[in-house]
Amino acid sequence: MNQFTLSEPIERPITKLVGFNLQLTDLVLGTSVRIYIVLHFLTGKVPSVEHKDLILEGDDYLAWGNDDNYITEFVKSKLSTLIVGREPTN
């Protein structure tokens, strides 16, 4: 296969994660909760969103206790995993 070099490279726009919303669903008391997440992206100046789910269970669920900020921090710690291989949606 031949490869051709462009005299003027074409750059792809950079997609940035700029925020998220979350909602807790499917609570199983003492066991787990599903976290429904809406990720907000910007590609250049074009906004897009992507929806993801995380399950909080086991030791992570037990660590939640009554500190709702724990959920936000848990989601933040998983963001890089959630956006790997993503395709933006409008």
Side-chain angles (χ1 to χ4, degrees), residues 11-12 39 45 48 63 65-66 70 79 81:
E11 293 186 32
R12 288 183 166 176
L39 300 168
K45 293 183 180 181
S48 62
N66 62 358
Y70 177 84
L79 288 176
T81 304

Side-chain angles (χ1 to χ4, degrees), residues 34-70:
R34 180 180 304 273
I35 307 168
Y36 175 75
I37 306 160
V38 180
L39 300 168
H40 299 271
F41 293 93
L42 280 178
T43 302
K45 293 183 180 181
V46 179
S48 62
V49 297
E50 184 174 324
H51 306 267
K52 296 287 185 174
D53 285 320
L54 278 177
I55 303 295
L56 183 70
E57 60 189 350
D59 290 340
D60 291 324
Y61 178 86
L62 295 174
W64 172 22
N66 62 358
D67 179 11
D68 289 345
N69 190 51
Y70 177 84

Side-chain angles (χ1 to χ4, degrees), residues 7 9 18 20-21 28 32 47 50 54 57 67 76 80 83 89:
S7 59
V18 295
F20 64 92
N21 300 81
V28 179
S32 65
E50 184 174 324
L54 278 177
E57 60 189 350
D67 179 11
K76 285 180 182 178
S80 60
I83 62 175
T89 57

